[in-house]
Amino acid sequence: MSLRARLRAADILIAPGVYDGLTATLATDAGFEALYLSGAAVAYTRLGRPDIGLSTASEMADTMALIADRTDLPVIMDADTGFGNALNARRTMLSYERAGAAALQVEDQSYPKRCGHLSDKSLVSRAEMADKIAAMADARRHDTLIIARTDAIAVEGFDAAVDRAGAYIEAGADVLFIEAPRDRNELGRITETFQGQVPLLANMVEGGATPISSAEALQEMGFDIVIFPGGIVRALARTAHDYYRSLKEAGSNIPFSDRMYDFDGLNQAIGTGEMLALGKLYDGTS
């Protein structure tokens, strides 16, 4: 089923954040229907840096291609600002499509961009963002969705965010993402204004500006997609911190063994047995 077709279903779509082939494999095995490739998660894991626009389009496309090797699920891919003007956004659409993305999320921040839940953001004009969306729509060669994100709540206020969102729908956005609503009232106003026009996306960031809500609660409000982009990195970073501290103190992995896969467990999770069996089909002995 295509991502567009899935969004016509009544149930909200939950898309967990992933950042490489391993996390994509584990999320797929957990039974999700779609994944979210987070630019922040790539910055955190590949660069060890904050989400302030340091990840490049080519790093993201390379990551997407590796994920596409490990899962057939549709992947929503963070395209930041399109990495420049309308022509850059057009090229981003083409390169991300080639890598295997099912949807591109593009935002109306200017540089230096910030994580949507950081302060001191700045925006391009509404017209410039609309042109980026139109250029991406004209460039796409497949049924790749364009998710238009506005960060205007933190910069220009809620009403300005609504105005921008309406313009982005007119420009050709397939899905709407108003970033960082500050309370349930603003979440509700988003769905009251736009429900039925295009699918609506909510972003759950642990400790961010938006109160954490369950998928069920967001569906009742009228949202169609909920992403949890950085949760896996926060979980793994905390686990890694505890693991390294335990190893340093104990000089052994024994105290931490009940919180980690052993050799066979990890090989089972990543499908080592299946790969070795597949290899035997081509080793000249079959």
Side-chain angles (χ1 to χ4, degrees), residues 62-286:
D62 288 346
T63 302
M64 179 65 244
L66 293 172
I67 288 171
D69 281 344
R70 295 297 287 121
T71 183
D72 292 326
L73 292 182
V75 178
I76 300 169
M77 193 171 176
D78 187 353
D80 282 343
T81 64
F83 299 95
N85 62 20
L87 292 179
N88 296 112
R90 179 183 185 279
R91 185 172 182 228
T92 299
M93 169 60 80
L94 295 172
S95 64
Y96 279 24
E97 275 193 328
R98 285 195 300 271
L104 272 67
Q105 172 201 301
V106 63
E107 66 202 43
D108 57 6
Q109 286 195 53
S110 59
Y111 281 97
K113 69 143 284 175
R114 298 282 187 269
C115 167
H117 291 257
L118 291 175
S119 58
D120 298 325
K121 296 183 287 187
S122 58
L123 308 179
V124 300
S125 70
R126 180 170 62 179
E128 181 177 342
M129 177 63 174
D131 286 343
K132 290 186 186 184
I133 294 168
M136 293 171 73
D138 289 342
R140 60 185 163 189
R141 296 170 177 171
H142 307 290
D143 190 21
T144 307
L145 302 185
I146 299 170
I147 301 175
R149 167 178 145 180
T150 179
D151 286 71
I153 290 179
V155 181
E156 300 174 343
F158 186 85
D159 291 339
V162 169
D163 290 342
R164 281 177 172 263
Y168 301 162
I169 293 172
E170 292 179 5
D174 302 293
V175 177
L176 183 60
F177 173 10
I178 297 181
E179 175 66 298
R182 295 161 290 194
D183 51 41
R184 290 181 63 85
N185 176 62
E186 289 187 346
L187 284 165
R189 289 175 65 189
I190 292 169
T191 56
E192 289 170 7
T193 304
F194 295 107
Q195 190 173 23
Q197 297 185 44
V198 293
L200 303 175
L201 183 149
N203 180 22
M204 295 292 102
V205 175
E206 300 80 7
T210 304
I212 296 293
S213 300
S214 69
E216 181 181 5
L218 290 165
Q219 178 177 316
E220 290 175 356
M221 290 183 203
F223 286 94
D224 304 280
I225 310 171
V226 56
I227 59 173
F228 294 84
I232 184 60
V233 180
R234 293 180 182 90
L236 291 177
R238 175 62 183 272
T239 300
H241 177 271
D242 292 345
Y243 164 77
Y244 287 125
R245 184 172 58 186
S246 173
L247 178 59
K248 180 66 167 63
E249 292 174 353
S252 166
N253 286 333
I254 293 174
F256 210 81
S257 60
D258 62 342
R259 298 177 58 188
M260 58 193 293
Y261 280 128
D262 64 10
F263 182 78
D264 291 336
L266 181 59
N267 278 315
Q268 182 176 357
I270 62 177
T272 301
E274 291 86 344
M275 286 293 291
L276 293 176
L278 180 63
K280 289 182 178 179
L281 296 176
Y282 309 106
D283 66 0
T285 62
S286 300

Side-chain angles (χ1 to χ4, degrees), residues 45-61:
T45 57
R46 292 192 65 174
L47 309 181
R49 296 294 186 182
D51 180 23
I52 54 173
L54 299 176
S55 300
T56 65
S58 59
E59 287 171 337
M60 291 295 293

